[in-house]
Amino acid sequence: MTKCFGEFPVSRRAVLTGLLASSIKASSSRLGAADELQGIYVPDAVDRAIDRGIDSLLSHQRDDGAITDRGHATAMTALSIMALASIGVVPDSVSPRGRALNRAIEFVLMPRNQANGYFGERDGSRMYGHGIVTLMLTEMLGMGASVEQNSRIHESLVAALKVILKSQSVRKPPRLQGGWRYTPSARDSDLSVSVWQVMALRSAKNDGLDVPAEAIESAVEYLRNSYTSPMNADGLPRDRVGGFAYTPGTRHPSFTMTAAGLLALQTCGQYDSPLVAGAAEWLLEHPPRSQDRFFYYGMYYYAQGMHQVGGKAAEEAKRLTSEELLNFQSNSGHWNGQHGEERNIGLVYCTTLAILSLSVRYHYLPIYQR
């Protein structure tokens, strides 16, 4: 079911998300809404950590609206937009956070940041950044500050989706078909890049945009090829517990890729897949550790994916996500990488992913919703 906002279709989930965010608009955050409820809801340590993180994040906003500290300005700004939206902030001209969000959206929508639909060229973020920006646009569709801004979000989103679909159709070896790599014309694939494109496509499809079913089906097949357990004659994993690897054919799962594969399959509607059950069990047996490579990146997928699994997986992930991330927040409110790779990407990167991991509890972003 879709509704129309301005001149383009918007899914019911986007409309409901916008209405929900508007209900707390007075203070632009869940914490402000809690204050208005006069103590009915008392912010806990996670709420306070998120609030401090948002303030730290916005301290990096430039005059042109970008939110970044180490480069990849378009991609980092897109992550920041999702972090703000994940706590209920909506773009407006009234509240400080609403104004900041509006300026960030305007920065991403600058024509210079999108070359023939591709967002990953100017800022050097490649298909990683393109997938992140496209996902952000699907999440913000129908929630812009004006009909005119919403129209530009839609226009940019349609062009960005064409890049993803065209890139997926590039001829590749059979086990790599359906996935994506660093550039639109790449003839190989990896799970890390592919997950962002998968989430963007599925979110866009949920919004009523034109995403061919075969594109999702092809992506699901690629995800299956990235699972580390061999398949039997019936196409089922031989091992009850298994994970996901960076590239198909590898039999050694990692925390980050297993969390990414888990979320991606669920995003594609494969909630009852034995691969989902196996990956969730693997993550229960191999919980996150701060020394993991790309710790914040993995936590982002872990928090969302395990939340959607529900039950024991969700409860354990909720506990560990809070314990791990609150332990690493700095006195100034930001998060920083524990190792060279993430530390070099910057504070905005780590802080946005930490906020997005912790804010799963609010359920504001449609991508969080099953």
Side-chain angles (χ1 to χ4, degrees):
M1 174 181 179
T2 61
K3 293 188 176 181
C4 202
F5 194 106
E7 298 180 350
F8 54 87
V10 176
S11 72
R12 181 174 179 271
R13 70 182 186 130
V15 173
L16 292 176
T17 303
L19 292 174
L20 180 58
S22 296
S23 71
I24 62 169
K25 188 174 177 180
S27 63
S28 296
S29 75
R30 189 177 190 279
L31 298 177
D35 291 338
E36 292 185 359
L37 291 175
Q38 299 179 348
I40 293 177
Y41 176 83
V42 179
D44 63 10
V46 173
D47 295 312
R48 293 190 293 270
I50 292 173
D51 200 46
R52 291 171 54 227
I54 291 291
D55 286 341
S56 173
L57 196 61
L58 293 182
S59 71
H60 293 285
Q61 188 163 39
R62 303 187 318 205
D63 291 341
D64 63 359
I67 303 175
T68 185
D69 65 317
R70 290 285 185 90
H72 304 313
T74 311
M76 293 301 106
T77 302
L79 283 175
S80 299
I81 289 168
M82 288 198 291
L84 285 160
S86 75
I87 67 165
V89 180
V90 292
D92 61 38
S93 59
V94 179
S95 64
R97 289 180 176 179
R99 289 194 296 271
L101 178 54
N102 187 41
R103 290 173 56 218
I105 293 172
E106 287 299 317
F107 170 79
V108 172
L109 293 176
M110 288 181 179
R112 71 185 190 193
N113 291 326
Q114 189 175 20
N116 297 319
Y118 183 39
F119 279 105
E121 182 173 318
R122 181 179 175 85
D123 74 343
S125 61
R126 301 183 291 180
M127 284 299 287
Y128 270 116
H130 183 77
I132 290 169
V133 175
T134 307
L135 175 61
M136 179 277 290
L137 293 173
T138 69
E139 298 294 283
M140 297 306 297
L141 185 61
M143 292 177 60
S146 65
V147 171
E148 187 272 337
Q149 187 180 74
N150 277 309
S151 295
R152 286 188 289 124
I153 290 173
H154 178 259
E155 181 180 355
S156 293
L157 176 56
V158 169
L161 289 170
K162 289 180 180 178
V163 172
I164 294 176
L165 292 170
K166 184 178 180 180
S167 179
Q168 188 190 34
S169 67
V170 172
R171 182 173 295 180
K172 303 171 184 178
R175 66 185 181 131
L176 299 178
Q177 199 65 49
W180 294 261
R181 190 65 161 170
Y182 298 132
T183 65
S185 60
R187 296 185 178 277
D188 56 354
S189 305
D190 74 62
L191 184 58
S192 185
V193 173
S194 296
V195 171
W196 290 106
Q197 323 308 320
V198 170
M199 290 196 295
L201 287 180
R202 183 63 190 188
S203 183
K205 189 172 183 64
N206 289 346
D207 272 342
L209 296 176
D210 185 17
V211 176
E214 52 267 29
I216 303 297
E217 293 167 1
S218 182
V220 169
E221 186 60 26
Y222 175 75
L223 294 173
R224 288 177 56 83
N225 287 336
S226 301
Y227 197 65
T228 56
S229 171
M231 301 293 173
N232 63 24
D234 296 322
L236 299 174
R238 295 177 185 172
D239 303 324
R240 185 183 66 85
V241 179
F244 288 86
Y246 182 67
T247 55
T250 305
R251 298 304 178 197
H252 301 288
S254 68
F255 168 76
T256 299
M257 289 299 94
T258 298
L262 171 68
L263 177 61
L265 272 180
Q266 291 178 101
T267 300
C268 292
Q270 303 290 304
Y271 299 107
D272 298 324
S273 167
L275 278 65
V276 166
E281 188 62 35
W282 190 94
L283 289 168
L284 285 172
E285 295 178 3
H286 301 81
R289 303 172 302 168
S290 60
Q291 61 265 40
D292 288 330
R293 290 189 66 198
F294 300 104
F295 169 72
Y296 291 98
Y297 191 54
M299 290 298 290
Y300 167 71
Y301 295 125
Y302 173 75
Q304 288 193 59
M306 296 291 267
H307 167 75
Q308 293 198 22
V309 170
K312 178 183 177 181
E315 288 301 314
E316 186 69 1
K318 177 182 177 181
R319 180 183 68 81
L320 289 176
T321 299
S322 299
E323 287 181 1
E324 292 285 344
L325 292 178
L326 266 60
N327 185 48
F328 290 112
Q329 188 174 29
S330 71
N331 291 333
S332 61
H334 67 258
W335 281 267
N336 199 5
Q338 305 302 306
H339 302 286
E341 294 110 334
E342 291 194 313
R343 182 177 291 272
N344 291 336
I345 302 175
L347 301 179
V348 168
Y349 161 84
C350 295
T351 301
T352 54
L353 293 179
I355 292 170
L356 286 166
S357 301
L358 293 168
S359 64
V360 169
R361 57 163 55 188
Y362 303 150
H363 311 299
Y364 287 139
L365 287 179
I367 199 65
Y368 289 162
Q369 300 162 15
R370 180 164 174 165

